[in-house]
Amino acid sequence: MKKLAAGNWKMNGTAASLSEVAALVQAQPAPVCEMLLCPPATLVASMAATAKGTALHVGGQDCHAKASGAHTGDISAAMLRDAGASHVILGHSERRADHNETDAQVLAKAEAAIAAGLIAVVCIGETEAERDAGRTLDVVGTQLHGSVPAGATAANLVIAYEPVWAIGTGRTPTIPEIAEVHAFLRARLTARIGEQAAGVRLLYGGSVKPSNAAEIFAVPHVDGALVGGASLKASDFGAIVAALSAA
Ligand code: PGA
């Protein structure tokens, strides 16, 4: 299994930000791990052009479940593919919170993404109240079962475990807490999609930065990271890519 360092630019970046992409691919011409950046939709095509011929993959941050039609403001998986994307993040907690996305909707989007030839990066994670109530495994297990298509494979699915309370806060779970969730997710994924689960990359996300990347990447069943804030700067993301390549 090739590990994956994925960056989520969220609603950040303009054409000028592509200089960071150029710097990243120059600093990491042939990383041992895979490298993915997911810019806002406005930058997918231009970032894909910048990344052409390099080790960097480009992805979207969401797609519609339908292939086309009267859905103003939405984009389809095929459109992302056409713009040069190979991956798409789905069910990020910010979309679940801001747009009331349900597990069933995320599943439909993941099916559409896979049908269009994209790799679906499905996000799950508990809130702080859910963790405090001791419900973490219950919550992420339910999200995983409800959001992941039963026919997904190691080639078209990536899972990102992102505790909501760790995103953008500088706080992370303890190493044993990450280990517990990732081992649980591997088992639940096996129950959902069978033996293909062994090859699915399970990413940790939430306040990953150069200073904590190595210890997180040493955790069993952590096969990479989904990185928000620290993916915006080539130097920070490059350091995380280097840490994952060395893990
Ligand atoms: P963060 O975001 O790295 O800024 O915490 C992670 C994410 O939301 O994917």
Side-chain angles (χ1 to χ4, degrees):
M1 178 201 293
K2 232 180 172 188
K3 295 183 177 175
L4 174 64
N8 172 11
W9 277 18
K10 309 191 179 184
M11 197 170 72
N12 297 291
T14 58
S17 315
L18 295 175
S19 62
E20 292 296 324
V21 180
L24 174 68
V25 295
Q26 204 177 3
Q28 295 289 338
V32 173
C33 67
E34 281 184 10
M35 197 164 63
L36 166 70
L37 281 178
C38 300
T42 48
L43 289 180
V44 168
S46 52
M47 188 184 285
T50 303
K52 200 168 181 200
T54 76
L56 179 67
H57 300 281
V58 177
Q61 297 176 7
D62 177 49
C63 70
H64 198 278
K66 295 258 169 60
S68 63
H71 301 287
T72 302
D74 282 314
I75 55 175
S76 72
M79 290 169 185
L80 283 173
R81 182 88 201 258
D82 182 59
S86 52
H87 296 63
V88 60
I89 296 170
L90 296 170
H92 189 280
S93 65
E94 286 150 18
R95 293 209 59 88
R96 290 177 186 264
D98 295 354
H99 301 273
N100 300 311
E101 287 192 12
T102 63
D103 288 341
Q105 286 169 329
V106 176
L107 185 140
K109 290 177 178 207
E111 284 176 338
I114 290 168
L118 295 176
I119 296 170
V121 182
V122 174
C123 302
I124 57 178
E126 83 286 0
T127 63
E128 184 154 36
E130 288 163 343
R131 177 163 283 276
D132 289 346
R135 296 187 50 230
T136 297
L137 299 184
D138 182 30
V139 167
V140 298
T142 299
Q143 288 178 330
L144 184 144
H145 190 83
S147 308
V148 169
T153 69
N156 60 30
L157 175 71
V158 173
I159 302 286
Y161 166 57
E162 301 201 298
V164 176
W165 54 272
I167 293 174
T169 60
R171 297 164 57 205
T172 57
T174 65
I175 293 300
E177 285 168 345
I178 295 173
E180 178 190 36
V181 174
H182 277 246
F184 172 79
L185 290 177
R186 184 76 68 196
R188 277 304 291 251
L189 192 57
T190 304
R192 180 74 177 141
I193 69 168
E195 63 187 20
Q196 281 291 316
V200 172
R201 273 80 59 89
L202 302 182
L203 311 184
Y204 168 79
S207 296
V208 176
K209 43 193 187 238
S211 59
N212 64 13
E215 64 169 347
I216 291 171
F217 294 152
V219 175
H221 300 294
V222 172
D223 310 310
L226 182 54
V227 183
S231 73
L232 294 168
K233 284 254 165 299
S235 53
D236 286 346
F237 193 60
I240 291 167
V241 168
L244 185 58
S245 292

